[in-house]
Amino acid sequence: MLTTALGRFRVIGIIEGISYLVLLGIAMPLKYFLDFPAAVKIAGSLHGLFFVLYILALAHVTFTNRWSVLKVAGAFLASLLPFGNFVLDARIKHEQA
């Protein structure tokens, strides 16, 4: 799966999606309800790293697989929505079948 640009994009997308959910669902409640701001600092930094990797992987798969502007915009939008990367991954997997 990691041997192709699309495979790497899918894996990074899942990791980025998980990091986003951890940031929103675990780290932010820890910060605001339990006064533990370090959780957001750590989870936010990791999510930022994974987001940059996601954008780089998106650029690579765009040029390698000649994705349309609309498909690239959809993939970028998916990264901004909770669970968006998982929906995108399911669509990509369905297209490959």
Side-chain angles (χ1 to χ4, degrees):
M1 183 173 216
L2 293 176
T3 58
T4 66
L6 186 60
R8 284 187 294 275
F9 174 72
R10 287 183 60 205
V11 169
I12 292 169
I14 294 298
I15 294 169
E16 195 272 337
I18 292 169
S19 75
Y20 192 34
L21 293 178
V22 167
L23 178 62
L24 294 177
I26 297 172
M28 290 189 72
L30 283 174
K31 177 181 179 177
Y32 291 109
F33 297 129
L34 298 177
D35 195 31
F36 187 62
V40 169
K41 189 172 188 176
I42 294 166
S45 296
L46 287 172
H47 172 66
L49 170 68
F50 294 136
F51 183 75
V52 170
L53 292 175
Y54 180 84
I55 296 301
L56 292 172
L58 177 59
H60 187 222
V61 80
T62 297
F63 293 115
T64 303
N65 294 17
R66 299 180 187 265
W67 278 11
S68 68
V69 173
L70 187 61
K71 194 167 189 173
V72 173
F76 180 76
L77 182 62
S79 72
L80 302 178
L81 301 173
F83 299 100
N85 284 339
F86 306 110
V87 173
L88 176 65
D89 184 64
R91 286 189 176 198
I92 291 171
K93 189 176 180 180
H94 183 267
E95 286 178 4
Q96 287 180 326

